[in-house]
Amino acid sequence: MAIIGTSSFAQNAPTIIPIETRQNVLVLQTDKENHLGITYFGKKLSQAAEYKLIPSQSRQRDGNAGIYNSAYTPAGTWNVSEPALQLTHGDGNKSLDLVYVSHNKAKENDNVSVTSIVLKDPVYAVEVTLFYKTYFQENVVEQWSVIKSEEKKPITLEKYASANLYFIAKDYYLTHYNGTWAKEMNPEEELLTAGIRVLDSKLGTRANLYQPPTFSLSFDKPATENEGKVLLATLAWSGNFKMEFEVDSYHNLRLIAGINPYSSEYPLASKQEFKTPSFIYTFSENGKGEASRNLHNWARKYRILDGEGTRMTLLNNWEATYFDFNEAKLSELFKDGKKLGVDLFLLDDGWFANKYPRNSDGAGLGDWQENVKKLPNGIGYLVKEAQKTGIKFGIWVEPEMVNPKSELYEKHPDWVIKQPQRPEHYMRNQLPLDLSNPEVQDFVYGILDKLFTENPDIAYIKWDCNATTFNPYSAYLEKNKHAQSKLFVDYVKGLYKVLEKLRAKYPKVPMMLCSGGGGRVDYEALKYFTEFWPSDNTDPLERIFMQWEYSYFFPSIALSAHVTDWGKQPLKFRTDVAMMGRLGYDIVVSHLNEKDLQFSQQAVVNYNAVKDIIFQGDLFRLVDPKKNDYAALMYATKSKSKAILFSYLVGNRNGAGSDTPIRLEGLDASKNYKVRELNLYPGTKSAIKEDQVYSGEYLMTAGFNPVVNARRTSVVLEIEAM
Ligand code: DGJ
């Protein structure tokens, strides 16, 4: 790694560091005192030499109030605005200054580079390295920082953000998401006004129950799908997060994002390093559509486990049986899965614990031995039975949690997160185990390792996490004289250690990241998981809206979507909605009438034929269900030779539906296409003429009407070049 810029503490010539992707640039520049600021963020200039013309501080400097555009704002010296890094030195002093020392750019390959910038405190032995990893083609930046102290005594990190950005625009529109169980991903867009707007979580585990660490930020005016300047961003961290949006007195915007400092002061011994999680973002001048395709391209290629692979269809028994099953019942369900045509049977909650059997969510969690009454012949027998039926076998676990009514709790009360002197407080009758404790990490790893060792043919894992952290306290940290304030951070680090070890031994087994629905959806966890469970709410009408919002940040290959009995819509509608993700079923197949079964069998065949387009294609959101009485979106292959269009009726007013053509996107204007309807319910006829040929230009300019209406409430079209 060549050092391409260095400077002593007192240098006048500015150092300019452009962090470039194919379309965008973040320009960093030192000022006269060698403080590093952000002078520009946005579309790349064609002449890089002109970055030096951008004034470093003229608009951002206030004589008394410090520099506003800092690339990593320190606390306790010249800066009086919200800091990115705040700490207490070994001698108790709380001041910090950070000046530029050097930077270098290391190329990992033709597409990926990492620029690292070293900043140092001129007085105390504290060093911060800012990292900007760029994915050039995808226009994605992954940013984190590493904080290091060489002071003799330990320092305490009080706030340690991953990223500090600075934007200059006319106005800022923030879209963020709120929700709770079964009501995930409700967007709200707001104009940011002076002061600080905070998005955060303090829940510890199931940290995204009320809010995910994702947002979009439009500049000047609200961005639409195809117009406007917009940043899509997310923090890759499965715990507490905090994102601060501060519109300052110049109407510029400072963004600070990272681990939530709430109750999380982190001691750092001499020569130790603290690496913050990654803040991941992309920017587009052409609206949210392009920005989200940037993220999808990046996530599939570089982040989600097996993101460029494929996914299996499955039959899950949760809603079909809940806790009430036995071997005979399951064997019947294997046959049902086979009849349906799915690849895999997924056995959900309720298969374990004996002293306190897991017959409800009130007992047994933590005791990971097969329940001998329900499964006298163990998991091994089930795997074989499933295989005999011609279907793969997957299994549910919730390894981070414990019911007080369990042998695990009786044996290891010190492994449980709870306050020793206070009454316990539960969510879903359970408590998190203390993953800051290495023994607990081994226990959690051991649950999965035992399952795989004894049953190497287990083909899928659903990893659940159903409780937030109340009464945070770790007996382990106490016993080892560590600060309790490390718990929230060390829990997440402990979780990643387990997942890392698991993936080292079992790199390929698909795993669903489930947290009672969207309680844990982030890009650090998705390094280890192939998909996530967006919500327990599988009412297809609700899912259209939720999946729409998730789709800004996550590609369809990562989104599990099941056909269930939620909602009032017909089976076709439920199926057509679930097809927008990794398709699964959670229904009693034997209750389907003949036509429904026939429809479903054909739908699985159809899905298998087109799922690669949905997983790997470019997504275009065409008609927004929030603003219309129907929704339409399409996936097109990169070669523009095939596309799948989904449209759904979401309103029921008289005449609701697609009465005008929709302009399609992602096709080749010069190619000719035919349009064919998929998933027709037996006995119905399509309103679409299959033999008509359309040019790509026609479909994208004059448009095409899928004819979705009260009689055809969901329509799936295959568009294929001839
Ligand atoms: C919550 C999950 O979201 C459900 O799908 C199911 O697995 C239950 N937990 C089982 O307890």
Side-chain angles (χ1 to χ4, degrees):
M1 283 207 291
I3 291 178
I4 58 174
T6 52
S7 117
S8 67
F9 285 148
Q11 175 194 277
N12 287 336
T15 301
I16 296 171
I17 310 167
I19 312 288
E20 291 182 307
T21 59
R22 181 166 51 85
Q23 289 171 323
N24 309 315
V25 68
L26 166 70
V27 181
L28 302 151
Q29 183 175 329
T30 55
D31 68 5
K32 288 200 179 81
E33 288 149 5
N34 253 338
H35 291 128
L36 188 70
I38 293 171
T39 54
Y40 178 79
F41 179 88
K43 191 177 170 191
K44 215 156 99 173
L45 301 182
S46 48
Q47 296 180 54
E50 289 194 321
Y51 293 137
K52 68 172 182 295
L53 304 179
I54 301 170
S56 82
Q57 308 174 348
S58 55
R59 270 185 77 199
Q60 296 92 41
R61 175 120 196 167
D62 179 326
N64 299 317
I67 300 159
Y68 282 8
N69 66 337
S70 175
Y72 201 68
T73 316
T77 49
W78 48 266
N79 169 63
V80 289
S81 54
E82 192 57 41
L85 181 61
Q86 185 176 6
L87 52 79
T88 304
H89 296 286
D91 63 3
N93 187 289
K94 290 174 102 55
S95 69
L96 178 72
D97 192 7
L98 291 173
V99 294
Y100 167 82
V101 176
S102 65
H103 74 279
N104 58 48
K105 186 173 170 181
K107 246 184 160 217
E108 280 188 11
N109 55 46
D110 280 353
N111 195 43
V112 183
S113 313
V114 182
T115 301
S116 53
I117 306 173
V118 179
L119 310 175
K120 266 192 177 154
D121 188 322
V123 176
Y124 282 90
V126 170
E127 183 181 292
V128 175
T129 309
L130 306 179
F131 289 88
Y132 301 83
K133 186 167 186 172
T134 52
Y135 301 84
F136 192 80
Q137 285 305 330
E138 294 76 16
N139 292 307
V140 168
V141 181
E142 183 181 350
Q143 185 180 342
W144 70 94
S145 54
V146 171
I147 304 153
K148 193 174 163 191
S149 158
E150 300 226 359
E151 293 184 23
K152 283 200 189 93
K153 288 190 185 163
I155 65 169
T156 305
L157 305 179
E158 272 134 26
K159 186 175 182 193
Y160 32 99
S162 299
N164 184 167
L165 292 170
Y166 196 73
F167 309 104
I168 301 174
K170 189 175 152 285
D171 278 314
Y172 312 92
Y173 291 85
L174 175 67
T175 304
H176 52 93
Y177 298 88
N178 62 74
T180 183
W181 179 78
K183 294 192 181 83
E184 291 85 350
M185 287 306 266
N186 301 297
E188 273 189 70
E189 182 163 68
E190 63 187 82
L191 170 71
L192 292 175
T193 53
I196 302 185
R197 177 74 170 90
V198 173
L199 305 180
D200 77 340
S201 166
K202 305 182 194 74
L203 303 179
T205 42
R206 204 179 179 177
N208 307 145
L209 179 60
Y210 304 134
Q211 188 152 69
T214 45
F215 65 87
S216 72
L217 184 65
S218 302
F219 301 98
D220 300 336
K221 57 180 186 183
T224 62
E225 284 299 315
N226 292 323
E227 276 178 8
K229 297 178 196 146
V230 65
L231 178 93
L232 294 187
T234 183
L235 187 76
W237 181 247
S238 311
N240 295 346
F241 64 88
K242 187 172 193 181
M243 315 215 186
E244 293 159 298
F245 303 80
E246 182 175 11
V247 177
D248 67 21
S249 34
Y250 295 94
H251 202 66
N252 297 331
L253 177 68
R254 176 184 304 100
L255 165 59
I256 294 173
I259 291 177
N260 197 337
Y262 165 76
S263 204
S264 295
E265 300 83 26
Y266 206 90
L268 197 62
S270 188
K271 299 202 163 55
Q272 250 181 15
E273 287 186 354
F274 186 94
K275 183 177 180 218
T276 69
S278 293
F279 184 62
I280 294 156
Y281 48 95
T282 185
F283 175 78
S284 168
E285 290 239 320
N286 306 309
K288 292 183 180 182
E290 184 178 88
S292 68
R293 287 187 290 280
N294 285 345
L295 270 187
H296 297 173
N297 290 337
W298 166 81
R300 283 187 295 245
K301 188 159 184 195
Y302 295 105
R303 187 53 67 121
I304 297 164
L305 191 79
D306 200 22
E308 294 188 306
T310 188
R311 297 291 182 268
M312 289 183 280
T313 52
L314 60 83
L315 175 66
N316 190 188
N317 70 311
W318 175 238
E319 291 183 17
T321 66
Y322 293 104
F323 299 94
D324 180 20
F325 54 81
N326 56 28
E327 280 174 357
K329 225 179 194 179
L330 292 177
S331 294
E332 285 308 307
L333 297 183
F334 299 160
K335 286 184 203 146
D336 285 349
K338 182 66 189 165
K339 203 196 286 175
L340 197 57
V342 295
D343 302 307
L344 180 108
F345 177 83
L346 169 60
L347 175 60
D348 214 285
D349 196 353
W351 58 267
F352 49 89
N354 288 295
K355 182 171 174 190
Y356 303 105
R358 181 75 173 166
N359 292 330
S360 74
D361 61 20
L365 208 52
D367 301 344
W368 297 100
Q369 301 78 33
E370 292 98 326
N371 179 278
V372 291
K373 268 202 183 147
K374 290 184 200 175
L375 308 178
N377 296 300
I379 296 297
Y381 169 80
L382 292 179
V383 178
K384 284 203 190 83
E385 277 297 297
Q387 281 174 335
K388 261 198 244 161
T389 319
I391 194 166
K392 293 191 163 82
F393 182 86
I395 197 162
W396 177 97
V397 289
E398 191 176 1
E400 299 160 72
M401 297 279 162
V402 63
N403 283 130
K405 230 174 150 187
S406 69
E407 288 186 83
L408 180 70
Y409 185 97
E410 287 175 349
K411 232 174 145 182
H412 293 291
D414 57 325
W415 282 9
V416 181
I417 295 181
K418 59 191 176 95
Q419 286 288 349
Q421 295 164 323
R422 295 185 189 277
E424 291 176 7
H425 193 78
Y426 310 120
M427 177 175 276
R428 212 189 186 218
N429 309 307
Q430 64 190 56
L431 293 166
L433 293 173
D434 177 7
L435 269 174
S436 73
N437 181 345
E439 269 181 6
V440 177
Q441 293 165 18
D442 289 345
F443 170 78
V444 172
Y445 171 79
I447 298 165
L448 278 299
D449 191 39
K450 182 165 176 282
L451 273 173
F452 285 132
T453 314
E454 291 176 1
N455 311 288
D457 287 342
I458 285 182
Y460 185 91
I461 296 287
K462 176 176 178 182
W463 179 308
D464 212 340
C465 168
N466 283 296
T468 58
T469 304
F470 300 114
N471 287 322
Y473 175 89
S474 156
Y476 167 80
L477 292 176
E478 198 63 27
K479 198 167 136 207
N480 293 282
K481 298 193 169 45
H482 287 299
Q484 283 296 330
S485 58
K486 286 173 76 180
L487 180 57
F488 280 129
V489 171
D490 282 1
Y491 183 97
V492 182
K493 287 186 174 183
L495 173 67
Y496 294 154
K497 267 194 200 157
V498 172
L499 291 167
E500 197 66 47
K501 195 167 159 192
L502 198 66
R503 281 311 186 188
K505 191 159 172 195
Y506 308 102
K508 291 224 160 79
V509 187
M511 279 209 309
M512 183 208 282
L513 175 63
C514 175
S515 185
R520 188 184 264 169
V521 187
D522 70 84
Y523 270 125
E524 194 62 21
L526 282 169
K527 275 183 180 170
Y528 308 101
F529 290 85
T530 45
E531 53 205 76
F532 68 93
W533 183 235
S535 176
D536 271 359
N537 190 339
T538 44
D539 177 328
L541 198 55
E542 297 302 330
R543 276 294 186 112
I544 290 169
F545 290 83
M546 273 185 212
Q547 293 177 190
W548 182 279
E549 298 304 328
Y550 275 119
S551 82
Y552 285 108
F553 305 95
F554 302 99
S556 291
I557 192 166
L559 191 143
S560 312
H562 292 181
V563 177
T564 73
D565 288 328
W566 284 56
K568 296 193 179 76
Q569 288 74 17
L571 182 71
K572 170 172 162 54
F573 191 94
R574 288 181 268 147
T575 309
D576 289 353
V577 173
M579 269 204 179
M580 273 195 290
R582 193 278 292 129
L583 174 70
Y585 288 82
D586 200 345
I587 49 170
V588 185
V589 177
S590 58
H591 289 178
L592 297 178
N593 65 35
E594 205 182 308
K595 274 189 173 174
D596 277 354
L597 178 64
Q598 195 192 329
F599 167 78
S600 302
Q601 289 167 329
Q602 186 57 45
V604 173
V605 172
N606 293 344
Y607 179 73
N608 283 334
V610 302
K611 66 183 180 184
D612 278 354
I613 308 173
I614 297 164
F615 294 158
Q616 305 298 336
D618 283 335
L619 170 63
F620 299 88
R621 285 169 295 260
L622 306 174
V623 180
D624 186 344
K626 299 191 293 299
K627 297 184 186 141
N628 298 275
D629 50 27
Y630 71 105
L633 44 81
M634 65 184 282
Y635 301 85
T637 58
K638 303 262 177 213
S639 65
K640 300 176 192 290
S641 58
K642 274 190 174 186
I644 302 294
L645 183 141
F646 293 97
S647 53
Y648 313 100
L649 194 74
V650 298
N652 60 3
R653 296 195 63 192
N654 201 8
S658 60
D659 45 13
T660 50
I662 307 167
R663 287 183 172 182
L664 307 193
E665 293 183 50
L667 303 177
D668 183 337
S670 62
K671 279 188 175 144
N672 283 333
Y673 296 88
K674 274 193 175 178
V675 180
R676 182 169 79 98
E677 183 162 359
L678 298 181
N679 284 5
L680 277 173
Y681 194 77
T684 58
K685 275 205 182 127
S686 177
I688 309 297
K689 275 202 238 152
E690 279 196 9
D691 44 7
Q692 179 66 52
V693 176
Y694 308 90
S695 70
E697 184 197 16
Y698 176 90
L699 293 172
M700 294 193 292
T701 312
F704 187 86
N705 188 349
V707 200
V708 59
N709 57 41
R711 285 177 310 283
R712 290 162 48 83
T713 55
S714 63
V715 176
V716 183
L717 301 177
E718 183 181 42
I719 301 152
E720 193 167 4
M722 298 167 57

